[in-house]
Amino acid sequence: MRVLVAEDERALAEQLELALTAAGYAVDGAADGPRADFLARTETYDAVLLDLGLPGIDGLTLLGRWREAGLDVPVLVLTARGSWSERVLGIDSGADDYLAKPYRIEEVLARVRALIRRAHGHAQPELRCGDVTLDRARAQVTVRGTAVALTSHEYRLLAYLMHHPGRVVSRQALTEHIYAQDCDRDSNTLEVFVARLRRKLGASVIETVRGLGYRITGVAAKQASGT
C-alpha cells in the first residue's frame, strides 16, 4: 500500500514518513501545495495525509480541486486548525477524516489503516484469505497461526492483493501500489516477490492469471468475490 504525506513542517513530515514506512507502507512526501497536487494527480495512492497549511496552495483548496476532478483517494487532514467549525469545513470539503495537531503517531497510523480498510469495503481489522492472516495493526502475517517474516516489498504486495480478495490485480497496479516514487521499479522483481511469497506462504496462495496479473486465493477470497 502506498501513501502520500503532504506536510511542510520538516520534523513532522520525517516522523510521519518513518512511522508509515516502519508500518509497511511505501511513502512519498510533498512539502508544498503544488508538489502535493502534482503527485496526487500523477501517482497512485491508497491514502493521503494532508496538512491544511501548505505553502503555495493550501490544503483545503487542494482537497476541493481533487474532489472536483474526481480524485477519490481517502484523505486524512492533519492540521492545527482544530475547532469544530474547521473540522466540519474540512470534512465537507472532501476529507474522509480529520485529526488536529498535536497528535499521537499511533492514532495517525490507526486512522490510516481504517481509511484504507473502509475504502476497500473491509470492516474487520484483520484480513484473511484461506490459511493466511494479515494483521495491519501489528504489520504481521501468519499462516495457520504461525508468524511468517516478510520483506517490506513482499508485505506490501501481499497486503494489496489481500485488500482485493478474489480479484485479478494487474502487474501495473501492483507496481504502482508497492513502490515509492524514488524506487527503481524493475518489473522483473515483481515475479521474484511473488515466488518468495509462494515459498513462504504456500504455493497455491497466489495464482498467476496469464496475461492479466495475480490473484490471492483461499476460502475467504472466494467468499468475498462471490465465487
Side-chain angles (χ1 to χ4, degrees), residues 43-169:
E43 299 291 334
T44 302
Y45 295 103
D46 297 290
V48 175
L49 279 59
L50 179 65
D51 175 33
L52 294 188
L54 291 174
I57 308 173
D58 69 86
L60 274 184
T61 299
L62 279 179
L63 195 52
R65 291 179 181 178
W66 293 346
R67 295 320 189 203
E68 286 179 7
L71 199 64
D72 59 358
V73 62
V75 173
L76 169 60
V77 166
L78 302 175
T79 180
R81 306 172 192 174
S83 70
W84 70 266
S85 58
E86 289 168 323
R87 293 197 298 273
V88 169
L89 178 60
I91 291 171
D92 282 346
S93 297
D96 297 274
D97 199 358
Y98 197 106
L99 187 58
K101 300 176 182 177
Y103 48 70
R104 294 279 302 184
I105 195 69
E106 293 87 350
E107 184 175 0
V108 175
L109 294 175
R111 288 175 185 252
V112 171
R113 288 194 296 271
L115 283 180
I116 294 175
R117 194 170 65 231
R118 289 200 298 269
H120 292 89
H122 300 293
Q124 300 299 323
E126 291 184 344
L127 302 178
R128 296 178 181 174
C129 288
D131 295 330
V132 180
T133 300
L134 187 147
D135 184 340
R136 294 238 53 159
R138 296 180 176 82
Q140 184 181 63
V141 173
T142 58
V143 178
R144 293 185 292 280
T146 301
V148 178
L150 301 181
T151 67
S152 59
H153 284 99
E154 292 166 3
Y155 179 84
R156 288 174 204 154
L157 193 154
L158 179 67
Y160 194 76
L161 288 175
M162 290 187 72
H163 273 89
H164 300 81
R167 300 178 188 173
V168 178
V169 180

Side-chain angles (χ1 to χ4, degrees), residues 30-42:
D32 57 52
R35 178 66 175 167
D37 193 30
F38 173 78
L39 288 175
R41 292 175 185 271
T42 58

Side-chain angles (χ1 to χ4, degrees), residues 164-181:
H164 300 81
R167 300 178 188 173
V168 178
V169 180
S170 70
R171 292 169 56 88
Q172 180 180 351
L174 283 172
T175 300
E176 290 174 347
H177 285 271
I178 70 171
Y179 290 108
Q181 189 193 33

